[in-house]
């Protein structure tokens, strides 16, 4: 079970996530410094700030509140600057005949009640094959430091000061051929099916994946992080806000088909249980987006694992994950430890990327 201070932290995150009252008087011996540290570790300072606004029964120490307010103002400034950068670079690429989608990050932020209070990370662009190649040639001269390109996932990291920009020709996870085949199919549905939505970013139209596709991409992205790289609570909050914002337009049968075909239904059920029990996520249907009590124990272990933080020792972390999803930890172990899956091997053997 989460500790007392972890419960306080989750109470405040829930309040900030849904703009609802936080009741802190139900908890004893609150250490707000521990709560604050958790918010920093989980990249949800903005949600903590919003949650504290909704706590009327017990107040955090004024000095700590002022510190959080200061960080939140910095978040607003950073997000505003990042949005301006995105508008500028999207407009310049469009003038050069390069068409891109924005994924994760600032697009998902628009699903929050207070978009500028979401902790921002990188700028991620998703492009078709031809646009990916053109974007590389266009953006490389603007970058001060370039990471090696990952050929299988078609991913290149660029430092365009002061921002870190990632361009993606694919959103593959590298977990397994089964998962990545489905990612490829959903991505084709975006580019060849024209399944996109748009965000008016200060007068510049920025295209994003359609809600169904975006939900799948956000989910598979944090599942990749969960198994291979470490994840935080903000990623689950993003998923919740995306599901909630588009609750009336999501095609549940389609999503269920994609998730089952990717072999990720148990993960979906367990993380939805976590979202329901600990983050206040409402039930949205009777099958896919519902609190399934059979996954209560897994959800409890998940929240303990995530809030406990990753050790940085891949073997130790995978042992902890194996207590939650034993078969999957074994199934994905070649990818986790050797960065190999059979789709990747086949493509290398056939020379196709």
């Amino acid at each position: 079970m989460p500790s007392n201070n972890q419960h306080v932290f989750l109470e405040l995150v829930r309040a900030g996530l849904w703009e609802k009252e936080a009741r802190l008087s139900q908890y004893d011996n609150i250490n707000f410094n521990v709560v604050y540290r958790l918010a920093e570790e989980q990249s949800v300072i903005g949600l903590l700030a919003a949650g504290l606004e909704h706590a009327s029964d017990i107040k955090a120490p004024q000095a700590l509140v002022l510190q959080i307010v200061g960080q939140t103002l910095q978040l607003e400034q950073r997000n505003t600057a990042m949005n301006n950068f995105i508008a500028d670079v999207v407009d310049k690429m469009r003038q050069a005949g390069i068409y891109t989608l924005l994924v994760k990050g600032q697009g998902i932020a628009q699903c929050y009640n207070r978009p500028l209070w979401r902790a921002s990370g990188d700028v991620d662009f998703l492009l078709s094959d031809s646009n990916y190649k053109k974007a590389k040639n266009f953006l490389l001269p603007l970058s001060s430091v370039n990471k090696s390109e990952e050929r299988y996932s078609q991913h290149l990291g660029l430092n365009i000061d002061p921002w870190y920009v990632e361009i993606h020709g694919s959103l593959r996870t590298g977990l397994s051929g089964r998962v990545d085949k489905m990612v490829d199919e959903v991505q084709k549905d975006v580019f060849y099916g024209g399944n996109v939505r748009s965000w008016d970013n200060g007068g510049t139209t920025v295209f994003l994946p359609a809600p169904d596709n975006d939900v799948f991409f956000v989910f598979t992205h944090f599942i990749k992080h969960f198994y291979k790289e470490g994840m935080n609570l903000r990623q689950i909050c993003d998923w919740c806000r995306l599901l909630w914002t588009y609750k009336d337009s999501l095609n549940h049968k389609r999503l269920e088909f994609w998730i089952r075909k990717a072999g990720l239904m148990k993960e979906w059920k367990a993380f939805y249980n976590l979202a329901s029990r600990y983050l206040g996520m409402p039930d949205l249907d009777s099958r896919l987006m519902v609190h399934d009590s059979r996954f209560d124990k897994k959800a409890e272990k998940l929240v303990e694992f995530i809030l406990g933080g990753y050790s940085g020792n891949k073997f130790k972390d995978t042992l902890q994950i194996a207590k939650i999803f034993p078969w999957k930890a074994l199934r994905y172990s070649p990818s986790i430890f050797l960065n190999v899956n059979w789709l990747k091997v086949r493509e290398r053997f056939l020379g196709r990327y």
Side-chain angles (χ1 to χ4, degrees), residues 280-297:
M281 181 68 195
D283 289 348
L284 300 182
D285 71 1
S286 59
R287 291 183 55 177
L288 185 64
M289 302 175 200
V290 63
H291 177 190
D292 188 334
S293 59
R294 294 174 298 174
F295 290 86
D296 282 353
K297 196 64 180 177

Side-chain angles (χ1 to χ4, degrees), residues 94-108:
R94 194 169 290 155
Q95 290 177 28
I98 304 167
Y99 298 94
T100 182
L101 298 179
L102 183 70
V103 291
K104 302 178 283 184
Q106 300 305 93
I108 300 298

Side-chain angles (χ1 to χ4, degrees), residues 141-194:
L142 305 178
S143 179
S144 57
V145 178
N146 306 318
K147 289 192 174 182
S148 299
E149 183 178 9
E150 296 178 14
R151 294 180 63 201
Y152 171 74
S153 60
Q154 289 184 288
H155 163 249
L156 179 64
L158 307 162
N159 283 95
I160 304 177
D161 292 334
W163 311 109
Y164 184 68
V165 177
E166 295 186 346
I167 57 173
H168 303 267
S170 166
L171 293 176
R172 290 174 174 179
T173 65
L175 285 173
S176 72
R178 181 178 181 180
V179 175
D180 286 351
K181 283 180 183 177
M182 199 62 242
V183 171
D184 287 349
E185 289 300 312
V186 176
Q187 189 168 315
K188 286 178 185 175
D189 186 66
V190 171
F191 286 122
Y192 300 111

